[in-house]
Amino acid sequence: MLFFALLLKVTWILATDGGHHWTYEGPHGQDHWPTSYPECGGDAQSPINIQTDSVIFDPDLPAVQPHGYDQPGTEPLDLHNNGHTVQLSLPSTLHLGGLPRKYTAAQLHLHWGQKGSQEGSEHQINSEATVAEACSVGALLLQTHDSAASLAYTPPQVGEAENPAYRHILSHLHEIRHKDQITSVPPFNVRELLPQQLEQFFRYNGSLTTPPCYQSVLWTVFHRRAQISVEQLDKLQGTLFSTEEEPLAPLIQNYRIPQPLNQRTIFASFVQAGPLYTTGEMLGLGVGILAGCLCLLLAVYFIAQKIRKKRLGNRKSVAFTSARATTEA
Ligand SMILES: *[C@@H]1O[C@H](CO)[C@@H](O)[C@H](O)[C@H]1NC(C)=O
């Protein structure tokens, strides 16, 4: 996935992870993060699996507004292999609106799976993971980590067509194959990494998905997915190393598994389309509709009967009136 982290603050937050070595698998893997980073064991962690039948529709959630994302300036952007992910630094002229506070851009990064894998996203929707995830992080200009960041993400799906926005990142990966390598990429329209339609999203309170896992992140998970091509996914899964030198270890599977939702509420800015009902409910609905149709038919029949009777009555009275007129004449 792609994270757009916004602002120096987030850079600072992500940089100050306490210096403990951590990985996704093995003795320093995600199960062990809480030992060195207690907040990783908290009860409001990210990512999560979003069960769409238990989200709460909130009609007052405004759409996220990415400001300046389509004009990232003239300065080249830093692209960094930090051993955990590939991270694009964003200029602080970029910020996110439509959130409870204004968040300034800091960086954007990606999560993906192993070579050939169809799983790599962190967030899941109805237990379904996608090949990768793209996120945008916004941070507040505040002094403490508890007011840190907001991330938005778009989980890509694989298709035929290449995604031109991802090309700006993926075509430079070979320049930063080893950990701690940095390259410059020409500024590009970062807005294109976000879905076209920003109105449909899920919103919840969570955490950074990497140590130190601070529980200060307001998440926006877009419903719409971006598309990347098979070649692009191959490149993402197969180019980078998580180590500086030999022995080289591939930088893959850099995603955290979904964390317990606990008491949190997930809000949705939209009403779910798609299969709203289970089979049983559909059957019930079908029977209900049939019964409804039958009642309607009967009602129409009786009304028609009534109208006919009334017409007959009217005709009688008309006949009577004219008869009387005739008599009077
Ligand atoms: C997140 O937490 C804050 C503080 O508790 C609360 O005011 C806000 O409504 C929560 N937002 C969501 C989306 O749950």
Side-chain angles (χ1 to χ4, degrees):
M1 38 182 175
L2 286 183
F3 279 90
F4 297 84
L6 319 177
L7 176 67
L8 304 169
K9 200 73 217 168
V10 165
T11 317
W12 176 79
I13 288 159
L14 299 178
T16 52
D17 61 9
H20 295 281
H21 177 61
W22 62 269
T23 55
Y24 284 92
E25 303 283 329
H28 301 283
Q30 41 188 309
D31 295 345
H32 306 283
W33 291 354
T35 315
S36 305
Y37 303 97
E39 217 159 327
C40 296
D43 59 2
Q45 288 288 296
S46 293
I48 53 166
N49 171 33
I50 297 171
Q51 227 23 82
T52 55
D53 56 5
S54 56
V55 302
I56 307 286
F57 170 52
D58 179 355
D60 297 327
L61 279 179
V64 175
Q65 295 144 15
H67 295 288
Y69 278 60
D70 51 351
Q71 303 154 335
T74 51
E75 293 294 308
L77 308 172
D78 279 348
L79 193 67
H80 179 197
N81 174 350
N82 65 13
H84 300 300
T85 184
V86 52
Q87 181 171 306
L88 182 74
S89 301
L90 297 178
S92 57
T93 49
L94 274 55
H95 63 268
L96 283 179
L99 294 160
R101 298 192 230 172
K102 188 171 146 183
Y103 293 86
T104 307
Q107 50 99 325
L108 173 157
H109 67 264
L110 302 170
H111 299 264
W112 59 91
Q114 61 184 344
K115 194 103 183 135
S117 168
Q118 293 299 308
E119 294 188 353
S121 69
E122 296 205 304
H123 283 86
Q124 297 184 1
I125 297 181
N126 297 327
S127 304
E128 186 201 359
T130 55
V131 292
E133 191 171 308
C135 313
S136 173
V137 184
L140 291 165
L141 275 167
L142 294 178
Q143 297 312 308
T144 62
H145 75 249
D146 345 276
S147 49
S150 157
L151 301 96
Y153 93 95
T154 63
Q157 58 194 3
V158 204
E160 300 275 297
E162 194 182 82
N163 184 315
Y166 280 75
R167 193 196 302 147
H168 294 287
I169 296 174
L170 299 179
S171 64
H172 294 278
L173 289 188
H174 64 275
E175 300 160 26
I176 51 166
R177 296 195 75 185
H178 296 188
K179 178 175 182 251
D180 292 338
Q181 288 185 319
I182 300 182
T183 189
S184 293
V185 309
F188 64 96
N189 186 347
V190 183
R191 170 68 183 82
E192 288 172 5
L193 289 167
L194 295 172
Q196 276 296 319
Q197 286 165 340
L198 301 175
E199 295 81 23
Q200 299 198 346
F201 57 84
F202 303 102
R203 173 71 49 80
Y204 79 97
N205 279 326
S207 73
L208 298 174
T209 64
T210 55
C213 308
Y214 293 149
Q215 296 189 155
S216 52
V217 182
L218 182 63
W219 274 90
T220 300
V221 179
F222 291 113
H223 182 53
R224 283 294 162 94
R225 289 165 184 181
Q227 179 164 302
I228 59 174
S229 70
V230 178
E231 288 75 24
Q232 287 185 309
L233 181 62
D234 271 355
K235 198 171 256 183
L236 185 60
Q237 292 171 338
T239 309
L240 302 180
F241 298 107
S242 61
T243 45
E244 285 165 67
E245 50 209 34
E246 306 288 344
L248 290 173
L251 174 40
I252 49 167
Q253 279 184 299
N254 58 350
Y255 60 92
R256 190 184 194 192
I257 59 166
Q259 304 296 304
L261 183 62
N262 297 321
Q263 305 310 316
R264 289 176 287 176
T265 306
I266 307 169
F267 296 94
S269 68
F270 62 106
V271 180
Q272 294 291 308
L276 281 176
Y277 303 102
T278 63
T279 320
E281 285 166 335
M282 285 298 265
L283 210 68
L285 202 68
V287 171
I289 288 171
L290 262 179
C293 284
L294 205 65
C295 288
L296 203 66
L297 267 176
L298 282 174
V300 167
Y301 174 77
F302 283 119
I303 289 168
Q305 286 276 53
K306 232 183 173 162
I307 290 173
R308 229 184 71 198
K309 272 190 196 147
K310 216 174 177 183
R311 282 235 183 97
L312 278 177
N314 280 349
R315 214 180 288 156
K316 266 182 210 150
S317 83
V318 168
F320 175 75
T321 315
S322 49
R324 201 171 51 178
T326 317
T327 322
E328 276 168 13

